[in-house]
Amino acid sequence: MVTKSKLKMALVAEKGTDFKKLNQKKRQKAARKEKSTKSGGTAEKEWESMDEASDGEDGAPVNGEEADSGNEEEVDEPMEIDFARLDESDSDSSAGENDQDNSDNEDDEDIPVSDLEDLNDEEREDLIPHQRLSINNTVALTAALKRIALPIAKMSFSEHQTVTTAEPVTIADVSDDLNRELAFYAQALSAVKEARKQFKSEGVPFTRPTDYFAEMVKADEHMVKIKAKLVDEAASKKASTDARKQRDLKKFGKQVQVAKLQERQKETKQTMEKIKVLKRKRQGGDNEATNEAEMFDVELENETSGSKPSRKDRMGPNKRAKKDEKFGHGGKKRFSKSGDAQSSSDLRGFSSKKMKGVVKQRPGKARRAGGKR
Amino acid sequence: MASVYKSLSKTSGYKEEEVPANGVKKNKQRVLILSSRGITYRHRHLLNDLASLLPHSKKDAKLDTKSKLYQLNELAELYNCNNVFFFEARKGKDLYLWMSKAPNGPTVKMHMQNLHTMEELHFTGNCLKGSRPILSFDASFDSASHLRVLKELFLHIFGVPKGARRAKPFIDHIMAFTLADGKIWIRNYQISETEASKITNISSEPSDPPKVKGKSDKGKETEVSLVEIGPRFVLTPIVIQEGSFGGPIIYENKEFVSPNQVRSDVRLKKAGKYNARAESGIERLAKRGELGLRTSGGRTLPKDALDTGELFA
C-alpha cells in the first residue's frame, strides 16, 4: 500500500496517518459489506447509506482531523462508483495536464489486483480487472511532438502537402464497407480540392501533362493483368445473364411453342377467310374486278390463281351425266347388255386374219440384217 | 581535380541548406524501410508497395533479431535515415509496424490488420512512381496528444519531402488517413482529372474550333475524381515510446487486445463448448440412473406387481 508519490508521502507523514490502521479499517469495512450482501434483501441504497453513516462513525474517533475523513470517504465509497471512474479513465479525459496530479489520480483510480482478492467470487466476475495501468503521459507526448514537429504553419503548402479536414470524419458503422469507403473517399476528395486551390495559388504544377511519361507505380504488365481481370469479369457476368435467360426460356419453352402454333393457325385461317371474301365478291359482280385488283395486293391475286380450281369451275361435261348415260338412269335396265340384231350385224371389229390365228409378220430386210449382227 | 570540385561544391551546397532563404528549416526526411525475419509473402509485397510509393526511402535487408531493436538506430545512422519504418512479424501471421524518428524518438508500435497489397486488390488506379502525395488527415487526429504524435510521424514518413532525389513533379495521388473505431485506416487514391462537362462547352460555342475551347479550359476547373490505387491497411496504435526503440513508455492503448489473446479466447470458447457437452452428458446419465432407467448402476426400481415382466412372465 505504501506506493505513493513523494509529495503525498510527505503529506501523510505530516498528518501522521497510520497505514496499518487504515488497512485494517478497510478490511473491516469489506467484511461488513460482505455480511450485509449475504444477509440479503438489502437494497443498494440501503447499504450505501449505511456506509456513509459508518464513515461518520469511523472518521471521528480514530483521527480527529477533517482532512483525513475526507480522504477516507474517497477510499470507502461504494465499489460501483469506483468502477464508473475506472471506466472513465479508459478515455483519456482524466489524464491531467499536471504530471503530479496525474499520478495522484492514478493512485486513487486504479485498483491493484491484490485488492480484488478480498472480494467474493460473484463480485469479481462482474469486474474486469485492468492489470495494465493506463499510460497516457500527455506532457511527455507533447514534448516529443514539439521535438519532431515540422513548422507547418511557416512552410509553404507545396513543402508539406498536408490537408486536415475541418470536421472529424464520423463513420457510424465501421463494418459497413460501402459507407466506410464512401467516407474515406469523401475525405480524400475534399482534401484534393483544397490542395488544388493551394497549389494553384502557389503556382505549382499540379496536373500531369499527357505527354509526360515516366515509370509508374504499377507496371504495364500489372495493368494488363488488371484489364484482363476486368474483361474477364464482364464476360462472366454476361455469360451468367445469358445462361439465366436460357434457363428461363427453357422453363417457358413449351408454352411459347404452343402459342406460336396457335398463332400460325390463326394466320392461315385469316388468309383463307380473306380469300373467300374476295372470291365471293368476284362472283357477285365482274364490273368490280378492276377495283378489287386495286384493293388487294398482287400477292393475294397470285395466291388465288395458284390454288386448286373448285369443282364448279372445272371444264367439260358433268360426270354424273356421263355415268347416267353409261349405266342408265331411269328406264328399262334388263337385257340392256345382251346383243340384239343391230349389234350382231355390226362387223366393225371383225377380221378374217384374227380368225385364222396369230400370224407373225416377217420383218423387213434391214431389220433382219440388224438382228443377225 | 574532380574530387576537389566535388568537395567544394558539396560544402557550398551544405551551407546553402543550413541557412535557407526564408530562415525556415528545410524538410529533410529519409526513411529506412525493413522488416524482421519471418514475414509472409503478403507482408513482403506490402512492404515493396510502400517502398515504391516512398521515393525518399531506403530499403534494407531483413533484420535478424526481434529483441534487440535498438540496433535499428545504428542502421538508420548508417544509411543517413532519420525515420525507421519497420515490419515485425510474429508467428508468421501477426504483423506489427514500428515507426520511429531515428536518433532520439519517439517510437510508435502499431498492429497492422486487414492488409491488402496492390497486386491482389486489382484497382485500376495508377500513379507516377515517386510523385509526391497529398496527405489527407482526419480532424480527429488533433483531438489527443498521442494522435498528434502519430500524425506527425505519418507526415514525416509518408509525406515525400520537396526535392527528394527520386521524386517526380506533378501531384497525382493522395493518401488518406482516417481515424475510426480507434484504428487508423489508410487508403491511397489516384487523382484523375477529367475535363468538366464537355457538353456544355459544345452547346455554348458550337461553331468555334478547338482553339477557343482550349482557352476556356485553361480558365475552367477540371473535374476531379479519385480512383483507388492500393494498398489498404488498418493500424491500431499500441504503444508510444519516448526514445527510438527504447526509453519510457509514454502512451499505452488499453483497448488493444493482442491477436494472441483473441486466438486463445476462441480456443477456450471451443474447449468450453466440449466441456459443457461432456458435463451435461454425465448429468443426464446420473439423472437416468436416479430414475432407475439404466440397466447397470444407479438405483434399481422396486418390483411392482403391475410391471410388464411380472404380468406376462
Side-chain angles (χ1 to χ4, degrees):
Chain A
M1 276 308 284
V2 198
T3 52
K4 303 214 168 182
S5 66
K6 264 185 190 172
L7 207 83
K8 202 158 189 193
M9 286 299 286
L11 199 79
V12 163
E14 208 190 32
K15 279 179 186 168
T17 13
D18 196 352
F19 272 109
K20 272 188 184 171
K21 258 187 192 171
L22 275 177
N23 212 353
Q24 216 173 4
K25 235 190 321 178
K26 209 171 175 185
R27 286 265 165 78
Q28 276 177 359
K29 206 146 288 172
R32 208 178 303 151
K33 206 181 288 170
E34 237 181 82
K35 229 183 266 172
S36 69
T37 48
K38 269 181 187 170
S39 66
T42 48
E44 262 181 23
K45 274 181 190 171
E46 270 179 41
W47 58 260
E48 208 169 295
S49 64
M50 210 174 78
D51 255 339
E52 272 173 29
S54 69
D55 257 359
E57 281 168 18
D58 281 350
V62 178
N63 283 337
E65 286 174 30
E66 267 186 32
D68 201 3
S69 70
N71 201 10
E72 274 293 298
E73 249 173 21
E74 259 201 63
V75 179
D76 289 339
E77 264 172 353
M79 293 303 263
E80 277 175 11
I81 291 170
D82 246 3
F83 297 154
R85 265 217 242 130
L86 251 180
D87 285 344
E88 259 177 52
S89 75
D90 272 341
S91 59
D92 312 314
S93 61
S94 69
E97 278 84 325
N98 198 332
D99 203 7
Q100 204 64 47
D101 213 323
N102 203 0
S103 70
D104 268 9
N105 277 343
E106 269 175 19
D107 273 353
D108 286 346
E109 282 170 9
D110 282 314
I111 302 171
V113 185
S114 56
D115 272 16
L116 294 176
E117 283 165 9
D118 295 343
L119 298 170
N120 58 357
D121 280 351
E122 276 181 25
E123 263 175 296
R124 225 188 301 173
E125 265 182 6
D126 296 338
L127 197 153
I128 305 154
H130 294 294
Q131 276 99 339
R132 251 190 284 159
L133 295 177
S134 59
I135 300 175
N136 190 5
N137 194 339
T138 321
V139 182
L141 282 170
T142 42
L145 176 65
K146 208 174 272 176
R147 206 169 59 228
I148 61 165
L150 287 171
I152 281 181
K154 285 183 202 165
M155 284 156 69
S156 60
F157 180 76
S158 61
E159 284 270 342
H160 59 86
Q161 299 193 347
T162 57
V163 180
T164 308
T165 55
E167 280 151 30
V169 177
T170 50
I171 297 163
D173 183 15
V174 179
S175 44
D176 181 3
D177 285 2
L178 192 68
N179 283 331
R180 167 171 34 90
E181 294 302 325
L182 214 64
F184 296 157
Y185 182 90
Q187 181 200 333
L189 194 65
S190 71
V192 166
K193 278 175 183 160
E194 170 74 29
R196 195 169 59 163
K197 221 180 283 169
Q198 297 266 16
F199 281 124
K200 215 151 250 179
S201 70
E202 284 183 18
V204 174
F206 181 78
T207 319
R208 176 163 65 107
T210 45
D211 56 351
Y212 182 90
F213 294 109
E215 196 185 349
M216 306 293 272
V217 164
K218 288 177 185 172
D220 283 348
E221 309 122 46
H222 189 182
M223 292 310 278
V224 165
K225 231 190 245 173
I226 290 169
K227 204 171 273 175
K229 167 125 186 159
L230 281 180
V231 168
D232 238 36
E233 241 162 46
S236 70
K237 203 180 254 178
K238 203 184 166 216
S240 76
T241 52
D242 276 1
R244 175 169 297 148
K245 214 181 254 172
Q246 208 69 27
R247 238 175 293 141
D248 287 353
L249 268 183
K250 205 174 178 186
K251 214 183 240 174
F252 299 113
K254 198 81 188 170
Q255 294 173 23
V256 168
Q257 207 174 357
V258 168
K260 219 171 231 176
L261 271 178
Q262 278 177 346
E263 203 175 321
R264 221 173 273 164
Q265 271 179 348
K266 212 175 179 183
E267 217 168 78
T268 49
K269 214 174 181 182
Q270 268 181 349
T271 48
M272 289 309 283
E273 217 139 272
K274 252 182 205 169
I275 288 160
K276 221 177 239 173
V277 166
L278 193 75
K279 242 168 237 163
R280 221 169 274 158
K281 273 187 180 170
R282 200 174 258 181
Q283 273 183 347
D286 275 331
N287 52 349
E288 280 177 332
T290 49
N291 289 347
E292 274 165 24
E294 278 170 11
M295 271 164 66
F296 290 97
D297 288 323
V298 181
E299 270 182 287
L300 200 62
E301 285 285 330
N302 287 347
E303 249 181 26
T304 51
S305 65
S307 66
K308 259 196 331 191
S310 76
R311 193 174 288 167
K312 283 172 186 171
D313 288 347
R314 222 180 288 153
M315 301 302 274
N318 209 349
K319 197 179 178 184
R320 186 71 254 164
K322 266 204 159 169
K323 277 198 167 172
D324 282 349
E325 200 178 85
K326 190 175 179 183
F327 304 113
H329 183 255
K332 201 171 90 181
K333 277 165 195 151
R334 246 191 304 176
F335 310 122
S336 65
K337 284 184 177 177
S338 54
D340 55 2
Q342 207 176 351
S343 69
S344 55
S345 65
D346 184 9
L347 294 172
R348 273 182 294 177
F350 180 76
S351 161
S352 57
K353 263 184 195 170
K354 272 183 186 170
M355 291 283 283
K356 281 174 187 171
V358 181
V359 182
K360 274 194 176 169
Q361 205 172 11
R362 186 180 151 93
K365 196 178 181 184
R367 278 209 190 140
R368 268 179 280 146
K372 251 183 208 170
R373 247 199 317 175
Chain B
M1 275 306 278
S3 62
V4 170
Y5 171 74
K6 224 176 197 174
S7 63
L8 273 175
S9 60
K10 209 181 237 173
T11 50
S12 68
Y14 185 66
K15 261 178 191 168
E16 239 177 51
E17 272 170 20
E18 275 293 86
V19 188
N22 50 0
V24 178
K25 207 174 80 185
K26 209 184 166 197
N27 180 17
K28 274 190 79 174
Q29 307 293 343
R30 253 173 80 82
V31 185
L32 178 68
I33 292 187
L34 75 170
S35 73
S36 72
R37 294 222 164 268
I39 57 169
T40 65
Y41 78 97
R42 295 180 73 201
H43 302 159
R44 182 160 42 82
H45 286 198
L46 180 69
L47 197 74
N48 287 339
D49 289 348
L50 288 171
S52 74
L53 286 172
L54 309 177
H56 61 304
S57 67
K58 166 76 190 153
K59 235 180 91 193
D60 199 30
K62 288 172 184 164
L63 191 73
D64 279 320
T65 175
K66 280 183 194 172
S67 51
K68 299 169 192 159
L69 289 182
Y70 53 81
Q71 288 178 356
L72 282 168
N73 290 329
E74 291 164 33
L75 260 180
E77 204 188 343
L78 213 67
Y79 287 116
N80 275 332
C81 292
N82 56 355
N83 299 290
V84 179
F85 188 86
F86 177 65
F87 272 11
E88 185 191 351
R90 294 257 179 92
K91 301 188 168 185
K93 44 189 153 187
D94 304 327
L95 188 65
Y96 295 91
L97 169 64
W98 292 79
M99 296 197 314
S100 159
K101 293 294 293 179
N104 32 23
T107 308
V108 180
K109 183 191 183 186
M110 289 181 281
H111 180 225
M112 193 182 270
Q113 285 167 302
N114 292 4
L115 59 99
H116 300 282
T117 63
M118 259 185 217
E119 200 167 10
E120 65 190 17
L121 277 173
H122 295 294
F123 287 138
T124 51
N126 202 353
C127 66
L128 284 175
K129 191 173 187 172
S131 67
R132 303 177 59 213
I134 300 170
L135 302 180
S136 162
F137 288 100
D138 185 358
S140 36
F141 271 104
D142 289 331
S143 62
S145 52
H146 70 276
L147 292 173
R148 242 174 282 151
V149 172
L150 277 172
K151 182 185 171 187
E152 198 64 32
L153 275 167
F154 283 130
L155 166 58
H156 289 198
I157 286 170
F158 287 100
V160 178
K162 199 176 187 179
R165 208 162 56 82
R166 281 177 288 169
K168 295 209 178 75
F170 312 117
I171 286 90
D172 62 353
H173 72 291
I174 176 165
M175 290 199 91
F177 300 84
T178 313
L179 203 76
D181 197 26
K183 295 178 177 67
I184 298 155
W185 305 67
I186 296 173
R187 296 285 183 271
N188 187 21
Y189 297 99
Q190 178 199 350
I191 302 167
S192 74
E193 287 172 289
T194 46
E195 284 177 14
S197 51
K198 278 175 186 169
I199 305 152
T200 55
N201 255 353
I202 290 161
S203 64
S204 61
E205 22 187 62
S207 57
D208 276 46
K211 194 180 162 191
V212 177
K213 209 169 145 192
K215 225 180 191 176
S216 70
D217 270 354
K218 229 174 211 178
K220 223 176 196 176
E221 293 275 286
T222 50
E223 242 159 50
V224 177
S225 63
L226 302 177
V227 185
E228 188 154 4
I229 302 172
R232 281 179 170 186
F233 49 95
V234 178
L235 299 170
T236 316
I238 305 169
V239 151
I240 299 179
Q241 282 180 307
E242 197 166 27
S244 175
F245 297 103
I249 289 169
I250 53 178
Y251 170 77
E252 185 161 20
N253 187 4
K254 250 203 301 191
E255 286 170 27
F256 173 71
V257 183
S258 91
N260 292 330
Q261 182 72 40
V262 171
R263 279 193 290 266
S264 90
D265 279 355
V266 168
R267 243 178 289 133
L268 269 180
K269 212 175 187 180
K270 267 187 193 163
K273 224 166 155 187
Y274 169 73
N275 284 346
R277 211 167 348 114
E279 217 165 74
S280 75
I282 288 167
E283 251 170 43
R284 197 170 55 245
L285 279 182
K287 208 172 181 181
R288 286 175 71 83
E290 196 74 4
L291 292 170
L293 293 170
R294 293 186 64 193
T295 47
S296 63
R299 200 165 60 94
T300 46
L301 281 178
K303 288 233 165 172
D304 196 355
L306 289 175
D307 263 350
T308 39
E310 287 288 303
L311 278 175
F312 305 104

